[in-house]
C-alpha cells in the first residue's frame, strides 16, 4: 500500500538494529480539507444558476381589424391595474360602472392580492374560464410585473392576459391615486 | 490451556485511497466550476416562486438596467458570434475587420449602438472594462437595434433561447417596448430571470 519501503541495509559490521517501523503520515486532516473543498465546489456549481420563469406572449394579429372581440363575463374575469409606488388596484365591473368606489386597492402580498384573486375565482360563474387581465400602467416597474406573474403561478391561474390600460381606467386610476395620497408634482424622469 | 491471544495493535485505517478519491473529485469540481462573470451593471432581479433553473443551452441574455438601458449578451459560441456580427454589419452597412471579429467573440456583452460598436471593439481590455455605456443598445419605435440583435441571432441559429434579466426598478414602459418588439419578430417564448423567493 502506501508504506515507504525501508531497505534492510545489513552491512556495516552487522550491528543489531531494532527494526524501524516505517513512518506513517496521518492523512485525516488532508482528507478533511479535501472534502471541505469538494463540498464548497459542489454547492457553488449548483447554486449559481438563477431561477427563471416562463413567459409566453400572444402572437400579434397580422391584421389589426381581425382582433377577435371576446366578451368575457364580468364575474369570470378580474382586472388588475398596477400603478405607481408598488400600488395595485382591481375591479370587476363594466367600463361604464368604473369609478373611484368600484376600483379597489389591495397590496402585493398573501393577504392582499392572493386573497382577492382566489375569492374572485371562487365567485366566478365558470371557473375554468376565469381570466385575470393584467394592466400595468406606465408608472409600474418591472418588479410589479414579475410579482403579478408570480402571483398567477401561486394562484395557479393558467389564463391571464397582459394588456394596456384603457383610457377610462387610466382616468379613474389617476383620480384615485391623486385623491388618496395627493403626491407632489409628478417626479421628473431622471434620465 | 490458555488460548494464545493474538497480539493487539491499535487499528489504523489506511486513508490513502480515500484521499485519492476525494482529490479526484475535487479536481473534477474545480475544473468544471464555471465562475459567474459579474454583469456589466449590477442588476437586482425580482423574486419569484419559480424553481426552474436557467438551462445551459445556447442562450442570449438581455439585461435591462434601472435607468432603462439595455445590454445584449450574444451566445457564447465564437463562430456563431462572428456570423452574427457579419449579419448585423450587413444590415447596418458596416464592415468589420478580422481583428474586430476576434474581439467580438471575447466581449461580454454589447451595450453600444451599432455606430459606436467598431470603436468599442477597438478599445483596449482595460478601457473595455471601465467603459460605461451612456445609452445601452437603442430600442425605441424607430430604432430597434436590440430587437435586430435578437433577430439576427435567431437567423444564425433558430434554436437560441432568450433570457431577460431586468432590474427591480426598471420602468414598465421600457419592458413593454421590449416585449412588443419581440412580438413583432414573432419570438414569443422566453424566460425572465428571477431570484429565489425568500421565505417570509
Amino acid at each position: 500500500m502506501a508504506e515507504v519501503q525501508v531497505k534492510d541495509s545489513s552491512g556495516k559490521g552487522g550491528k543489531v538494529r531494532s527494526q524501524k517501523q516505517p513512518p506513517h503520515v496521518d492523512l485525516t486532516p488532508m482528507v478533511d480539507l479535501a472534502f471541505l473543498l469538494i463540498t464548497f465546489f459542489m454547492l457553488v456549481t449548483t447554486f449559481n444558476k438563477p431561477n427563471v420563469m416562463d413567459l409566453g406572449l400572444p402572437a400579434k394579429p397580422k391584421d389589426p381589424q381581425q382582433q377577435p372581440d371576446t366578451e368575457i363575463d364580468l364575474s369570470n374575469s378580474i382586472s388588475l391595474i398596477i400603478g405607481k409606488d408598488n400600488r395595485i388596484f382591481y375591479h370587476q365591473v363594466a367600463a361604464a360602472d368604473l369609478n373611484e368606489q368600484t376600483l379597489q386597492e389591495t397590496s402585493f402580498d398573501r393577504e392582499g392580492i392572493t386573497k382577492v384573486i382566489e375569492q374572485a375565482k371562487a365567485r366566478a360563474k365558470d371557473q375554468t374560464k376565469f381570466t385575470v387581465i393584467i394592466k400595468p400602467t406606465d408608472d409600474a416597474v418591472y418588479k410589479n410585473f414579475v410579482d403579478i406573474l408570480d402571483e398567477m403561478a401561486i394562484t395557479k391561474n393558467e389564463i391571464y392576459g397582459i394588456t394596456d390600460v384603457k383610457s377610462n381606467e387610466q382616468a379613474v386610476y389617476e383620480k384615485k391615486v391623486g385623491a388618496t395620497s395627493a403626491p407632489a408634482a409628478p417626479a421628473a424622469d431622471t434620465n | 490451556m490458555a488460548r494464545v491471544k493474538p497480539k493487539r495493535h491499535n487499528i489504523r485505517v489506511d486513508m490513502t485511497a480515500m484521499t485519492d478519491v476525494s482529490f479526484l473529485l475535487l479536481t473534477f469540481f474545480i475544473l468544471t466550476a464555471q465562475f459567474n462573470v459579474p454583469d456589466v451593471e449590477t442588476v437586482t432581479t425580482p423574486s419569484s416562486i419559480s424553481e426552474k433553473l436557467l438551462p445551459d443551452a445556447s442562450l442570449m441574455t438581455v439585461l435591462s438596467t434601472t435607468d432603462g438601458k439595455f445590454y445584449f449578451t450574444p451566445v457564447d459560441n465564437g463562430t456563431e458570434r462572428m456570423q452574427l456580427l457579419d449579419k448585423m454589419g450587413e444590415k447596418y452597412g458596416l464592415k468589420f475587420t478580422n481583428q474586430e471579429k476576434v474581439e467580438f467573440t471575447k466581449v461580454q456583452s454589447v451595450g453600444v449602438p451599432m455606430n459606436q460598436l467598431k470603436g468599442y471593439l477597438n478599445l483596449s481590455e482595460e478601457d473595455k472594462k471601465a467603459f460605461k455605456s451612456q445609452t445601452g443598445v437603442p430600442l425605441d419605435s424607430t430604432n430597434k437595434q436590440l430587437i435586430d440583435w435578437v433577430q439576427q441571432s435567431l437567423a444564425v441559429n433558430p434554436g437560441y433561447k432568450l433570457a431577460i434579466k431586468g432590474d427591480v426598478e426598471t420602468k414598465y414602459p421600457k419592458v413593454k417596448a421590449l416585449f412588443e418588439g419581440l412580438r413583432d419578430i414573432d419570438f414569443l417564448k422566453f424566460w425572465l430571470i428571477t431570484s429565489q423567493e425568500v421565505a417570509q
Side-chain angles (χ1 to χ4, degrees), chain B residues 40 61 71 87 96-97 113 118 128 153 155 160-161 169 191:
Chain B
V40 201
T61 319
Y71 289 87
K87 282 184 183 292
F96 291 99
T97 62
K118 265 179 123 65
K128 272 205 188 73
S153 300
Y160 287 162
K161 299 275 183 286
E169 292 298 318
W191 292 302

Side-chain angles (χ1 to χ4, degrees), chain B residues 26-34:
Chain B
L26 182 59
T27 359
F28 170 77
F29 278 113
I30 289 181
L31 292 179
T32 52
Q34 290 180 343

Side-chain angles (χ1 to χ4, degrees), chain A residues 1 51-52 54 60 140 142, chain B residues 14 50 52 170 172 184 191:
Chain A
M1 287 293 277
N51 298 51
V52 291
D54 281 315
K60 281 206 172 163
Y142 178 70
Chain B
D14 183 17
S50 162
K52 215 172 177 174
T170 309
Y172 181 73
D184 284 336
W191 292 302

Side-chain angles (χ1 to χ4, degrees), chain A residues 69-89:
Chain A
D69 198 22
T70 44
E71 196 49 58
I72 305 173
D73 190 310
L74 286 175
S75 80
N76 285 342
S77 78
I78 182 167
S79 295
L80 306 176
I81 297 177
I82 310 176
K84 65 168 84 166
D85 307 330
N86 300 334
R87 293 170 67 182
I88 177 161
F89 304 89

Side-chain angles (χ1 to χ4, degrees), chain A residues 33-158:
Chain A
L33 180 71
F35 271 98
L36 179 79
L37 290 171
I38 285 178
T39 331
F40 169 75
F41 275 99
M42 275 169 91
L43 294 179
V44 162
T45 45
T46 46
F47 279 114
N48 70 5
K49 283 201 153 176
N51 298 51
V52 291
M53 61 198 294
D54 281 315
L55 179 61
L57 297 175
K60 281 206 172 163
K62 292 281 172 283
D63 180 5
Q65 301 307 320
Q66 285 191 333
Q67 293 232 19
D69 198 22
T70 44
E71 196 49 58
I72 305 173
D73 190 310
L74 286 175
S75 80
N76 285 342
S77 78
I78 182 167
S79 295
L80 306 176
I81 297 177
I82 310 176
K84 65 168 84 166
D85 307 330
N86 300 334
R87 293 170 67 182
I88 177 161
F89 304 89
Y90 64 96
H91 72 79
Q92 278 186 288
V93 294
D97 304 333
L98 188 66
N99 57 40
E100 285 177 59
Q101 277 68 51
T102 48
L103 183 71
Q104 298 165 69
E105 183 169 3
T106 179
S107 60
F108 273 106
D109 55 23
R110 201 170 305 140
E111 289 308 304
I113 190 69
T114 312
K115 268 209 173 125
V116 167
I117 293 176
E118 278 169 353
Q119 283 166 0
K121 192 167 182 169
R123 279 201 304 269
K125 282 202 190 98
D126 181 356
Q127 297 207 358
T128 54
K129 283 208 185 110
F130 184 71
T131 310
V132 179
I133 305 167
I134 302 167
K135 302 178 179 175
T137 62
D138 285 358
D139 306 331
V141 292
Y142 178 70
K143 174 179 188 294
N144 306 147
F145 176 73
V146 172
D147 281 348
I148 283 292
L149 288 187
D150 202 32
E151 207 57 56
M152 294 299 109
I154 293 170
T155 54
K156 298 195 171 53
N157 265 306
E158 297 299 324

Side-chain angles (χ1 to χ4, degrees), chain B:
Chain B
M1 280 287 278
R3 266 195 300 159
V4 181
K5 276 194 184 162
K7 194 181 166 207
R8 277 248 202 116
H9 48 77
N10 50 359
I11 303 160
R12 185 166 289 126
V13 182
D14 183 17
M15 287 222 178
T16 321
M18 188 150 94
T19 324
D20 284 351
V21 169
S22 53
F23 269 96
L24 180 75
L25 287 172
L26 182 59
T27 359
F28 170 77
F29 278 113
I30 289 181
L31 292 179
T32 52
Q34 290 180 343
F35 285 99
N36 274 2
V37 264
D39 284 321
V40 201
E41 290 196 32
T42 331
V43 160
T44 330
T45 51
S47 63
S48 80
I49 57 157
S50 162
E51 293 191 351
K52 215 172 177 174
L53 290 177
L54 190 65
D56 273 334
S58 34
L59 194 69
M60 320 174 262
T61 319
V62 169
L63 193 76
S64 82
T65 62
T66 316
D67 45 9
K69 285 187 302 203
F70 289 109
Y71 289 87
F72 177 76
T73 310
V75 284
D76 289 336
N77 184 320
T79 47
E80 288 177 343
R81 275 196 182 197
M82 286 191 190
Q83 291 172 5
L84 167 65
L85 190 63
D86 281 339
K87 282 184 183 292
M88 284 302 280
E90 255 171 59
K91 192 169 170 105
Y92 285 90
L94 293 168
K95 275 259 175 280
F96 291 99
T97 62
N98 285 339
Q99 175 64 32
E100 284 162 350
K101 283 181 194 170
V102 170
E103 279 299 323
F104 185 71
T105 59
K106 293 186 217 155
V107 293
Q108 196 194 332
S109 59
V110 183
V112 289
M114 281 308 282
N115 55 10
Q116 297 172 24
L117 186 60
K118 265 179 123 65
Y120 174 72
L121 289 178
N122 288 324
L123 290 177
S124 68
E125 289 293 327
E126 289 79 38
D127 289 347
K128 272 205 188 73
K129 278 206 172 61
F131 186 83
K132 276 272 180 281
S133 177
Q134 295 304 308
T135 50
V137 181
L139 173 67
D140 52 47
S141 50
T142 52
N143 191 352
K144 300 193 172 183
Q145 287 188 18
L146 182 65
I147 304 298
D148 283 333
W149 278 110
V150 177
Q151 196 173 16
Q152 298 304 328
S153 300
L154 289 168
V156 173
N157 179 348
Y160 287 162
K161 299 275 183 286
L162 175 69
I164 295 176
K165 188 171 188 176
D167 188 89
V168 173
E169 292 298 318
T170 309
K171 299 267 185 301
Y172 181 73
K174 285 279 176 192
V175 185
K176 193 169 100 180
L178 173 60
F179 288 167
E180 291 298 316
L182 291 171
R183 283 178 68 189
D184 284 336
I185 60 169
D186 255 342
F187 186 68
L188 303 171
K189 284 200 78 70
F190 42 82
W191 292 302
L192 304 179
I193 295 182
T194 57
S195 54
Q196 189 72 50
E197 186 89 51
V198 279
Q200 291 171 351

